[in-house]
Amino acid sequence: MDSRDRILMRVKTNQPGQSVHQENKIAPIGYENVVEKFKATLISIGGTVVEINDVDEINNYILEKFTDVKEIISSFPEIKTNLLNADYQDKPHVLQNIELAILKGEFGVAENAAIWITQKNMLDRALPFICENLILVIEKQSIVPTLHEAYEMISKLEYQYGIFIAGPSKTADIEQSLVLGAHGAKTLSVFILHK
Amino acid sequence: MKIGLFIPCYVNQFYPEVAIATLQILKKLELDVDYPVNQTCCGQPMANSGFEHLTTGCNELFIENFHKYDYIVSPSGSCVLHVKEHIKANGLEMESESIQKKIYELTEFLTDIIKIEKINSTFPFKVGLHQSCHGQRGLKISQMTELVAPDFSKTEKLLKMVEGIDLISLSRKDECCGFGGTFCVTEEAVSAKMGKDRVADHVSHGADYITGNDMSCLMHLEGILKRDKSNVKIIHIAQILNAGMNGERI
Amino acid sequence: MEKESKLRDHATLAHAFNKDEQRVDWHDKTLWMVRQKRDKAAWQIPEWEDLRKAASSIKNNVLSNLYNYLIEFENRAQANGVILHWAETPEEHNQIVLSIIKKHNTSNIVKSKSMLTEECHLNDYLEKNGISVIDTDLGERIVQLANEPPSHIVLPCIHWKKEEIGELFHTHLGTPKGNSDHQFLTNAARVHLREKFLTSKIAITGVNFAVAETGEIVVCTNEGNADLGVQLADVHIACMGIEKIIPKRKDLAIFLRLLARSATGQPITTYSSHFNVPRKDQEMHIILVDNGRSKRLASDDFRSALKCIRCGACFNTCPVYRRSGGHSYHTAVAGPIGSILSPAWNIKDNADLPFASTLCGSCSNVCPVKIDIHDQLYKWRQVITKSGHVSKPKTAAIKIMSFVLSNPTLFKVAGWVGRKTMKIFPSLISNRLNPWFTQREMPSPPEFSFTEWYQKNKNHGQS
């Protein structure tokens, strides 16, 4: 009998009587305007938000706000960049110099401004964390009120690696003073795409 | 209804005026109140120290003294909670269960059973209300700030019926005072610090008096106030409710 | 041995902590602020109490069916290509980690926050075997450089002032002396740790939630250190207690809505990463640790402590923790939850912890999974006493108290004697030997007890 067997045997013997998995009907909060709620929450957690009609508009934004940034990589063909995605795919260490990554978020959650993104939209799993600045683009109608609606969708998905990203990386470990930009991306800008 | 008056052991010995005020309030309401003279203690000090198994004597004495009343009323949230949650004695299960259902802290008895609407009392002072933990979180005498739930306070409801009273607000409405039974001596440093912080909250908001449902908390705060040579005094809610037309009290 | 235990108990350590009153005020106010942030966040969710009920109910279901959920999780995770290990004890856990490290023949290892690894004292064990692990969570890195354990499960260096961190970074990272700007220091840490991320071969993480239905694990961070570490490493080792299981992926909605709001007042942590299938070029291990959890499962009184999701809300609300600091609890997990977990790990060393509380009940009411913490503290006191881990003087005193209080006549006499003594010989009681008297005056002894008054005035009950 190895550790696994002994642990499982003890668990089986000691666990109490059956308790049914209740469906736990939660009536989650709704918002009059999920987009406005999403935007307000994102700003409160240190993100920037811009509403656009076309992905191409991001190029102007980059010229304006990320003027000196050269190492740009994106899953969107519309984004003007000198770097070839193929040179960076599945090469996490090579991504360390990426200054700006523009990726597609799959949907947003209004209550916490979290954006769901899975591996297939990341180019490499390391990219959202290793880049210095991150831009995520989500469609306006993809924004749901709370995580309940979000997980209704996620529970039906197949993914190898998925993540909720809510704002830029941060820490308040030094005397509870908030600093944006810990180990992950220093900034997060979200573009809400009106279709 | 016949009421058995249960007076906490230390109130009996050190703060008889609180017991007298409690008795007088109930008598003013023309209630039939009896005080079993052989009562001692609910057993909480021993039980909270880990010696629940030594409380049999106390439990049996308590059951013997009180089981025959329709209601048991006490000016102490923590003692009432202890009896409700822990009273038991072999062979006296029925009596124990019956006691648990009919024991009340004074303010909840007045609001829930007597359903009092008016109090003839005057107390024209600034008063800080200390929410004792066991009464609040255990007996649900008032809403705790931890919960996302509607606010209410049976204690405040009664106090607001008193003429002239000015209830001050606090920075931390329901933080523990630090008495905690034997904790007050076994963890003296933290206990005293917690008490000092509670006192400072009341004093900084201009309290003339600090009141509450539990004399144990107030005794602890009084100890700190007196050491500080403060003019702020403690007073049990029974004494405020019983304060005469000119604000005099025992 | 006696002296050692005297030095280590909560009351003694808390007494030392309270010598610097200003610092206690600072520590207390900082943590109270976090409690207030939690309140603010919770009040934005009208269904907050329903969420707590649901989370509690799901966790109760997990504990009742843990066997099946563990098997299900194991099957799914293995099908995903994850290598699973089972460890009965902390030692076994540590040995498994060491063996994986040795197999890959590396000493470049990063670790993100994991209370389970603290519980197992992993870092110390690896050090003894010549391996240094870099803690990458900023707070954890700070305490690591200072060679101390964390004092809080979510805010590891809450007891450190920024000037002190500045000094520490100056010594260890070469930052300019006297610089205590949090922005500057955080950036210095970013640069320092980035180099570690880029060169490490193994990343160790904790597990916030392990989903039985899918075999995936979820790791929540604000800094991004867990993910950065994992994505750049050849090997990912995830360490978890067996109770971290939740049944379905959908259940994450409830737990992720509660976790960060309870912990820090944020709606959610910056990153909530769902590791399902490992990177194609990466080896992923999950170590499932028992360390007494399967035994606790049998206890009706103490089982529900296993519902804990390690949010730390109970720490922030506890008036005793805020005024004694995490190190006063001398155990891996401090605060209220630590005081009901630790006695099971070592009753002798941790017998003092359930008494480091006034049983105010605040903890139980902020707990997102509704653990009856304060009731368990009371129950542990009974267990500790019955098993003889309370001092002889205390036992004697309580026995006397119990004897007196069970006897109406003795009670009356003792009360009378006490009052008279306090009146006539106050210094007999009001002196330095009386701990009450250190910072408080004794109550004034009245002329009579209530019983005496009542017997005299039985017929004159009116004022």
Side-chain angles (χ1 to χ4, degrees):
Chain A
M1 240 214 220
D2 62 7
S3 297
R4 172 190 179 278
D5 294 335
R6 281 191 296 272
I7 293 171
L8 286 172
M9 188 185 71
R10 264 195 308 272
V11 168
K12 193 169 198 194
T13 312
N14 290 339
Q15 65 189 19
Q18 296 298 304
S19 113
V20 177
H21 184 145
Q22 283 124 20
E23 265 315 304
N24 301 305
K25 291 267 172 277
I26 299 281
I29 190 171
Y31 303 106
E32 230 178 86
N33 187 328
V34 283
V35 178
E36 289 309 309
K37 176 65 185 174
F38 179 90
K39 284 164 62 179
T41 308
L42 181 64
I43 291 166
S44 76
I45 61 172
T48 309
V49 64
V50 184
E51 293 187 71
I52 53 172
N53 293 311
D54 199 288
V55 175
D56 194 47
E57 291 175 52
I58 301 176
N59 288 310
N60 285 336
Y61 184 86
I62 293 173
L63 282 173
E64 215 180 306
K65 304 283 185 197
F66 294 102
T67 320
D68 298 320
V69 166
K70 293 278 173 285
E71 310 284 312
I72 302 172
I73 197 163
S74 176
S75 52
F76 291 99
E78 297 93 325
I79 300 296
K80 294 186 170 61
T81 166
N82 294 330
L83 306 180
L84 269 177
N85 287 357
D87 293 339
Y88 294 86
Q89 202 110 26
D90 292 329
K91 292 184 181 123
H93 288 83
V94 179
L95 291 164
Q96 65 178 283
N97 297 316
I98 297 296
E99 292 169 283
L100 177 62
I102 303 101
L103 300 174
K104 180 178 190 304
E106 287 158 50
F107 60 85
V109 183
E111 72 164 321
N112 51 27
I115 294 174
W116 177 254
I117 177 170
T118 57
Q119 182 183 320
K120 66 178 196 278
N121 283 311
M122 290 181 196
L123 291 180
D124 184 275
R125 295 186 186 194
L127 184 55
F129 308 96
I130 204 168
C131 67
E132 202 175 317
N133 302 284
L134 180 62
I135 289 178
L136 293 174
V137 184
I138 53 170
E139 287 175 19
K140 178 175 164 220
Q141 54 263 45
S142 78
I143 298 174
V144 298
T146 73
L147 285 180
H148 294 289
E149 292 86 359
Y151 275 98
E152 276 300 322
M153 293 194 283
I154 296 174
S155 58
K156 301 185 179 88
L157 294 178
E158 296 255 0
Y159 55 85
Q160 300 198 339
Y161 173 67
I163 172 156
F164 272 116
I165 299 180
S169 71
K170 57 178 82 85
T171 179
D173 272 335
I174 297 179
E175 279 209 50
Q176 285 298 293
S177 300
L178 183 66
V179 177
L180 299 178
H183 304 296
K186 283 178 167 174
T187 71
L188 175 70
S189 313
V190 176
F191 285 81
I192 299 176
L193 183 63
H194 291 240
K195 265 246 158 95
Chain B
M1 61 167 110
K2 209 162 166 69
I3 297 168
L5 181 62
F6 158 38
I7 298 299
C9 52
Y10 63 97
V11 170
N12 195 347
Q13 299 300 336
F14 292 105
Y15 297 97
E17 63 272 24
V18 173
I20 295 168
T22 307
L23 176 63
Q24 291 181 340
I25 290 170
L26 296 172
K27 286 242 184 247
K28 277 181 197 166
L29 291 166
E30 289 169 14
L31 296 167
D32 184 359
V33 189
D34 204 17
Y35 173 72
V37 294
N38 279 336
Q39 62 183 275
T40 54
C41 173
C42 67
Q44 190 183 186
M46 285 85 76
N48 277 1
S49 302
F51 293 86
E52 202 179 41
H53 58 283
L54 292 181
T55 59
T56 316
C58 276
N59 284 344
E60 285 172 355
L61 192 55
F62 191 93
I63 294 170
E64 186 189 307
N65 278 315
F66 285 105
H67 78 271
K68 61 177 184 277
Y69 294 101
D70 299 314
Y71 291 99
I72 307 157
V73 178
S74 180
S76 166
S78 75
C79 301
V80 166
L81 182 68
H82 176 79
V83 170
K84 257 189 138 125
E85 291 189 335
H86 298 290
I87 193 150
K88 60 173 179 269
N90 281 334
L92 297 167
E93 285 79 13
M94 228 173 57
E95 289 83 350
S96 303
E97 260 183 60
S98 150
I99 283 175
Q100 285 168 336
K101 294 199 180 85
K102 60 194 179 186
I103 188 166
Y104 285 84
E105 179 274 342
L106 177 66
T107 55
E108 60 172 356
F109 181 74
L110 293 175
T111 56
D112 295 354
I113 304 297
I114 305 302
K115 298 199 189 353
I116 210 169
E117 292 295 324
K118 211 161 72 80
I119 289 177
N120 271 338
S121 172
T122 308
F123 200 73
F125 298 101
K126 283 191 138 121
V127 176
L129 173 58
H130 173 69
Q131 307 268 28
S132 298
C133 301
H134 296 141
Q136 184 197 34
R137 296 190 186 86
L139 296 176
K140 314 279 193 275
I141 285 171
S142 57
Q143 188 55 278
M144 59 187 107
T145 57
E146 290 84 0
L147 297 184
V148 175
D151 195 18
F152 70 88
S153 172
K154 297 178 190 178
T155 319
E156 262 186 45
K157 183 177 178 193
L158 291 174
L159 285 172
K160 284 184 174 147
M161 294 177 191
V162 175
E163 177 89 27
I165 200 169
D166 182 3
L167 286 177
I168 59 159
S169 60
L170 298 165
S171 299
R172 297 189 193 179
K173 197 170 175 198
D174 55 6
E175 189 182 38
C176 178
C177 69
F179 175 73
T182 50
F183 180 90
C184 72
V185 290
T186 58
E187 289 257 4
E188 180 275 331
V190 177
S191 171
K193 178 61 181 154
M194 284 168 71
K196 281 162 84 173
D197 289 348
R198 280 297 78 233
V199 162
D201 198 350
H202 286 264
V203 169
S204 73
H205 286 91
D208 298 316
Y209 286 88
I210 301 176
T211 192
N213 309 69
D214 268 275
M215 219 46 214
S216 48
C217 307
L218 296 173
M219 175 171 74
H220 167 69
L221 296 178
E222 182 184 53
I224 288 162
L225 285 164
K226 278 182 171 175
R227 180 57 63 89
D228 265 350
K229 298 200 183 2
S230 170
N231 288 326
V232 178
K233 294 188 165 37
I234 54 111
I235 186 168
H236 190 274
I237 186 176
Q239 297 168 278
I240 294 181
L241 298 178
N242 194 42
M245 283 314 292
N246 300 318
E248 80 265 12
R249 61 216 168 271
I250 306 228
Chain C
M1 216 43 192
E2 258 297 297
K3 214 177 197 169
E4 212 179 55
S5 65
K6 254 196 146 54
L7 280 170
R8 277 175 50 84
D9 76 58
H10 182 275
T12 311
L13 294 166
H15 187 265
F17 189 82
N18 272 276
K19 288 237 158 71
D20 187 344
E21 189 168 3
Q22 269 193 348
R23 200 181 180 99
V24 173
D25 285 337
W26 165 80
H27 187 262
D28 164 68
K29 284 189 175 65
T30 308
L31 283 155
W32 180 253
M33 200 177 64
V34 186
R35 153 78 207 268
Q36 288 179 300
K37 284 194 197 154
R38 172 251 168 214
D39 288 357
K40 189 162 176 225
W43 274 89
Q44 301 210 350
I45 310 292
E47 67 271 25
W48 181 259
E49 297 301 331
D50 287 338
L51 281 175
R52 289 179 68 219
K53 268 202 212 95
S56 173
S57 143
I58 293 171
K59 280 286 181 174
N60 282 333
N61 171 271
V62 168
L63 297 180
S64 309
N65 300 285
L66 189 57
Y67 177 82
N68 286 339
Y69 285 132
L70 282 169
I71 301 281
E72 189 185 359
F73 178 74
E74 181 188 49
N75 290 338
R76 299 263 184 264
Q78 284 173 337
N80 287 337
V82 178
I83 303 165
L84 245 57
H85 310 261
W86 298 75
E88 278 186 287
T89 62
E91 293 71 37
E92 210 183 324
H93 163 270
N94 297 343
Q95 280 158 10
I96 293 167
V97 174
L98 182 63
S99 71
I100 298 169
I101 292 171
K102 284 213 158 108
K103 189 180 126 206
H104 288 270
N105 196 24
T106 179
S107 53
N108 292 340
I109 302 153
V110 289
K111 179 161 77 76
S112 61
K113 202 185 294 133
S114 160
M115 287 319 298
L116 193 279
T117 62
E118 288 295 325
E119 190 185 313
C120 296
H121 302 288
L122 177 67
N123 285 22
D124 285 343
Y125 175 85
L126 293 176
E127 283 289 334
K128 287 198 182 85
N129 283 277
I131 291 167
S132 290
V133 164
I134 306 288
D135 280 319
T136 58
D137 174 272
L138 177 59
E140 295 257 310
R141 185 64 180 142
I142 288 167
V143 296
Q144 184 174 52
L145 290 173
N147 203 19
E148 341 175 306
S151 69
H152 188 292
I153 60 177
V154 170
L155 318 165
C157 66
I158 192 79
H159 61 294
W160 276 74
K161 291 199 164 183
K162 61 184 194 299
E163 291 80 12
E164 292 158 352
I165 297 170
E167 261 311 299
L168 188 72
F169 275 22
H170 170 66
T171 308
H172 293 275
L173 305 185
T175 51
K177 193 166 173 69
N179 189 320
S180 63
D181 176 64
H182 52 284
Q183 196 99 32
F184 182 85
L185 294 173
T186 302
N187 202 54
R190 178 189 169 97
V191 170
H192 156 70
L193 286 166
R194 196 164 172 95
E195 187 255 319
K196 310 284 180 210
F197 287 124
L198 289 166
T199 55
S200 68
K201 294 271 176 275
I202 297 181
I204 302 173
T205 72
V207 170
N208 289 89
F209 306 101
V211 183
E213 184 188 34
T214 57
E216 72 197 284
I217 59 169
V218 177
V219 180
C220 304
T221 69
N222 276 319
E223 298 178 25
N225 55 316
D227 294 274
L228 197 53
V230 169
Q231 302 314 341
L232 293 170
D234 295 332
V235 184
H236 174 191
I237 306 174
C239 310
M240 60 177 271
I242 54 173
E243 86 287 15
K244 285 301 185 75
I245 298 274
I246 59 172
K248 295 186 185 313
R249 188 185 270 176
K250 203 156 59 107
D251 297 330
L252 287 166
I254 288 168
F255 290 100
L256 291 180
R257 295 187 80 203
L258 286 165
L259 179 63
R261 288 186 173 100
S262 301
T264 57
Q266 300 171 268
I268 193 170
T269 50
T270 306
Y271 305 103
S272 310
S273 308
H274 301 49
F275 295 90
N276 205 359
V277 175
R279 286 182 76 106
K280 68 173 193 282
D281 43 3
Q282 188 185 69
E283 207 175 276
M284 179 173 166
H285 300 256
I286 297 177
I287 309 178
L288 292 144
V289 179
D290 183 352
N291 193 22
R293 289 157 171 78
S294 59
K295 184 172 172 207
R296 185 187 287 263
L297 208 50
S299 164
D300 287 336
D301 285 340
F302 302 123
R303 172 190 311 122
S304 71
L306 292 170
K307 298 194 288 183
C308 179
I309 60 174
R310 302 289 193 270
C311 71
C314 58
F315 288 55
N316 306 332
T317 199
C318 179
V320 175
Y321 173 85
R322 281 186 269 110
R323 294 174 182 83
S324 55
H327 291 160
S328 296
Y329 294 75
H330 56 75
T331 179
V333 180
I337 187 70
S339 299
I340 61 173
L341 289 172
S342 309
W345 292 326
N346 186 327
I347 195 167
K348 183 160 172 285
D349 283 357
N350 299 314
D352 57 321
L353 296 180
F355 293 92
S357 163
T358 56
L359 305 181
C360 76
S362 187
C363 50
S364 305
N365 289 288
V366 296
C367 178
V369 288
K370 299 185 89 128
I371 301 171
D372 56 339
I373 302 175
H374 73 292
D375 287 337
Q376 291 192 37
L377 287 166
Y378 175 88
K379 287 173 184 163
W380 266 115
R381 294 178 182 190
Q382 314 308 324
V383 171
I384 284 164
T385 305
K386 284 214 193 83
S387 58
H389 288 99
V390 172
S391 75
K392 284 199 172 53
K394 186 176 182 186
T395 307
I398 301 283
K399 280 197 170 138
I400 294 169
M401 198 194 284
S402 163
F403 181 64
V404 169
L405 293 172
S406 313
N407 184 317
T409 311
L410 273 179
F411 172 68
K412 284 176 193 157
V413 170
W416 185 89
V417 169
R419 277 180 279 115
K420 293 301 169 233
T421 311
M422 281 170 73
K423 187 164 179 223
I424 302 167
F425 299 117
S427 58
L428 261 182
I429 293 175
S430 300
N431 60 53
R432 273 211 219 101
L433 292 175
N434 175 359
W436 174 282
F437 193 69
T438 312
Q439 301 191 61
R440 292 163 283 211
E441 292 296 316
M442 294 293 290
S444 315
E447 284 303 319
F448 43 75
S449 70
F450 176 69
T451 304
E452 287 166 9
W453 179 91
Y454 185 84
Q455 281 171 317
K456 253 213 300 221
N457 294 281
K458 222 187 303 211
N459 301 315
H460 317 291
Q462 302 284 341
S463 68

Tab-separated table of all heavy atoms in Angstrom, chain B residues 193-209:
chain	number	residue	atom	x	y	z
B	193	LYS	N	-4.675	46.646	25.372
B	193	LYS	CA	-4.554	47.472	24.182
B	193	LYS	C	-5.907	47.591	23.476
B	193	LYS	O	-6.319	48.653	23.027
B	193	LYS	CB	-3.488	46.891	23.241
B	193	LYS	CG	-3.307	47.644	21.932
B	193	LYS	CD	-2.865	49.078	22.142
B	193	LYS	CE	-2.724	49.812	20.820
B	193	LYS	NZ	-2.893	51.257	20.961
B	194	MET	N	-6.611	46.458	23.385
B	194	MET	CA	-7.929	46.489	22.751
B	194	MET	C	-8.863	47.402	23.534
B	194	MET	O	-9.631	48.184	22.961
B	194	MET	CB	-8.516	45.065	22.680
B	194	MET	CG	-7.882	44.216	21.599
B	194	MET	SD	-8.299	42.463	21.720
B	194	MET	CE	-10.026	42.456	21.251
B	195	GLY	N	-8.797	47.318	24.869
B	195	GLY	CA	-9.639	48.166	25.709
B	195	GLY	C	-9.300	49.633	25.535
B	195	GLY	O	-10.191	50.476	25.406
B	196	LYS	N	-8.009	49.930	25.489
B	196	LYS	CA	-7.587	51.327	25.327
B	196	LYS	C	-8.091	51.889	24.011
B	196	LYS	O	-8.537	53.036	23.938
B	196	LYS	CB	-6.054	51.406	25.371
B	196	LYS	CG	-5.482	51.340	26.780
B	196	LYS	CD	-4.022	50.999	26.794
B	196	LYS	CE	-3.155	52.203	26.601
B	196	LYS	NZ	-1.716	51.872	26.785
B	197	ASP	N	-8.026	51.059	22.972
B	197	ASP	CA	-8.486	51.529	21.671
B	197	ASP	C	-9.991	51.775	21.664
B	197	ASP	O	-10.474	52.749	21.063
B	197	ASP	CB	-8.113	50.511	20.580
B	197	ASP	CG	-6.608	50.495	20.294
B	197	ASP	OD1	-5.901	51.403	20.764
B	197	ASP	OD2	-6.152	49.560	19.609
B	198	ARG	N	-10.742	50.907	22.325
B	198	ARG	CA	-12.198	51.110	22.401
B	198	ARG	C	-12.497	52.413	23.145
B	198	ARG	O	-13.327	53.212	22.728
B	198	ARG	CB	-12.886	49.962	23.157
B	198	ARG	CG	-13.145	48.678	22.417
B	198	ARG	CD	-14.091	48.760	21.238
B	198	ARG	NE	-13.427	49.316	20.087
B	198	ARG	CZ	-13.879	50.358	19.394
B	198	ARG	NH1	-15.017	50.924	19.705
B	198	ARG	NH2	-13.207	50.801	18.369
B	199	VAL	N	-11.829	52.580	24.275
B	199	VAL	CA	-12.039	53.792	25.081
B	199	VAL	C	-11.719	55.031	24.249
B	199	VAL	O	-12.495	55.992	24.214
B	199	VAL	CB	-11.176	53.731	26.355
B	199	VAL	CG1	-11.021	55.103	26.989
B	199	VAL	CG2	-11.779	52.762	27.369
B	200	ALA	N	-10.599	54.988	23.543
B	200	ALA	CA	-10.176	56.141	22.733
B	200	ALA	C	-11.227	56.482	21.682
B	200	ALA	O	-11.490	57.656	21.408
B	200	ALA	CB	-8.835	55.859	22.072
B	201	ASP	N	-11.846	55.455	21.102
B	201	ASP	CA	-12.878	55.682	20.084
B	201	ASP	C	-14.046	56.455	20.693
B	201	ASP	O	-14.518	57.450	20.130
B	201	ASP	CB	-13.351	54.321	19.542
B	201	ASP	CG	-14.080	54.431	18.203
B	201	ASP	OD1	-14.383	55.561	17.774
B	201	ASP	OD2	-14.362	53.388	17.588
B	202	HIS	N	-14.494	56.023	21.881
B	202	HIS	CA	-15.610	56.696	22.536
B	202	HIS	C	-15.231	58.104	22.966
B	202	HIS	O	-15.982	59.058	22.759
B	202	HIS	CB	-16.066	55.901	23.766
B	202	HIS	CG	-16.819	54.651	23.425
B	202	HIS	ND1	-18.190	54.588	23.377
B	202	HIS	CD2	-16.388	53.413	23.104
B	202	HIS	CE1	-18.568	53.356	23.049
B	202	HIS	NE2	-17.495	52.626	22.879
B	203	VAL	N	-14.083	58.217	23.592
B	203	VAL	CA	-13.646	59.512	24.118
B	203	VAL	C	-13.451	60.518	22.990
B	203	VAL	O	-13.887	61.671	23.092
B	203	VAL	CB	-12.349	59.333	24.945
B	203	VAL	CG1	-11.720	60.680	25.268
B	203	VAL	CG2	-12.628	58.558	26.224
B	204	SER	N	-12.855	60.066	21.889
B	204	SER	CA	-12.610	60.999	20.783
B	204	SER	C	-13.902	61.462	20.127
B	204	SER	O	-13.920	62.469	19.428
B	204	SER	CB	-11.683	60.369	19.746
B	204	SER	OG	-12.376	59.376	19.018
B	205	HIS	N	-14.982	60.721	20.327
B	205	HIS	CA	-16.266	61.146	19.767
B	205	HIS	C	-17.135	61.842	20.800
B	205	HIS	O	-18.324	62.052	20.577
B	205	HIS	CB	-16.997	59.942	19.143
B	205	HIS	CG	-16.414	59.506	17.844
B	205	HIS	ND1	-15.419	58.559	17.745
B	205	HIS	CD2	-16.634	59.917	16.567
B	205	HIS	CE1	-15.068	58.396	16.495
B	205	HIS	NE2	-15.788	59.210	15.745
B	206	GLY	N	-16.532	62.162	21.939
B	206	GLY	CA	-17.201	63.030	22.910
B	206	GLY	C	-18.117	62.350	23.899
B	206	GLY	O	-18.995	63.002	24.475
B	207	ALA	N	-17.929	61.062	24.154
B	207	ALA	CA	-18.846	60.381	25.075
B	207	ALA	C	-18.675	60.886	26.502
B	207	ALA	O	-17.564	61.104	26.965
B	207	ALA	CB	-18.586	58.872	25.041
B	208	ASP	N	-19.828	61.089	27.190
B	208	ASP	CA	-19.795	61.319	28.642
B	208	ASP	C	-19.847	59.978	29.351
B	208	ASP	O	-19.272	59.797	30.424
B	208	ASP	CB	-21.024	62.141	29.090
B	208	ASP	CG	-21.066	63.509	28.454
B	208	ASP	OD1	-20.016	64.172	28.396
B	208	ASP	OD2	-22.164	63.919	28.019
B	209	TYR	N	-20.606	59.079	28.738
B	209	TYR	CA	-20.786	57.735	29.279
B	209	TYR	C	-20.581	56.705	28.180
B	209	TYR	O	-20.879	56.950	27.023
B	209	TYR	CB	-22.215	57.557	29.815
B	209	TYR	CG	-22.485	58.258	31.112
B	209	TYR	CD1	-22.920	59.590	31.130
B	209	TYR	CD2	-22.319	57.601	32.331
B	209	TYR	CE1	-23.180	60.231	32.317
B	209	TYR	CE2	-22.576	58.237	33.533
B	209	TYR	CZ	-23.004	59.555	33.520
B	209	TYR	OH	-23.249	60.192	34.708
